[in-house]
Amino acid sequence: ELNDTSHFHIDHHGDLFTGLCAGLASATYEDLHPEIAPATHPIFHRLATRGPFGLRQLAIDEVGHVDRPDGYVSKCDLCLHLRDQLHTTGKYPELRPSAFYTEQ
């Protein structure tokens, strides 16, 4: 789903989002086709190759993530919760715009 470019949008900051995944910018209007690699897009790459459970392990390692006791309604709910926690580290530039995570 992340690699599907049949639906995408570019926000007013110039960030490109694929699929319906807000808050996870894979590119910008200045570079619409960047190389998606672990070094340049660690969150996007991990999600694309390992899915939300791969991201979950990163969140456990990075921020001590603990699953919600009442669980998650979908994989997207889990992913957003993980990305929200990882955003606090400031290490992942593709988690943008920052307001998406700070103004919820």
Side-chain angles (χ1 to χ4, degrees):
E1 295 169 359
L2 287 175
N3 295 323
D4 181 7
T5 57
S6 63
H7 177 87
F8 66 91
H9 78 272
I10 298 174
D11 72 5
H12 65 285
H13 299 287
D15 297 321
L16 181 135
F17 303 93
T18 59
L20 299 173
C21 201
L24 181 60
S26 59
T28 67
Y29 78 94
E30 295 152 333
D31 183 9
L32 293 174
H33 301 285
E35 179 182 352
I36 304 294
T40 59
H41 296 79
I43 301 295
F44 194 93
H45 186 270
R46 187 174 287 245
L47 280 170
T49 59
R50 301 183 198 174
F53 287 107
L55 191 59
R56 180 179 173 270
Q57 187 58 55
L58 179 64
I60 289 169
D61 296 343
E62 288 281 324
V63 295
H65 166 77
V66 176
D67 289 332
R68 288 186 197 143
D70 55 347
Y72 300 91
V73 297
S74 68
K75 65 183 178 181
C76 295
D77 185 31
L78 169 62
C79 181
L80 178 57
H81 186 224
L82 297 170
R83 289 185 290 127
D84 191 45
Q85 292 177 345
L86 289 166
H87 178 264
T88 65
T89 69
K91 293 181 181 180
Y92 303 103
E94 75 263 44
L95 296 179
R96 62 182 189 265
S98 187
F100 179 81
Y101 296 97
T102 59
E103 296 179 12
Q104 290 183 20

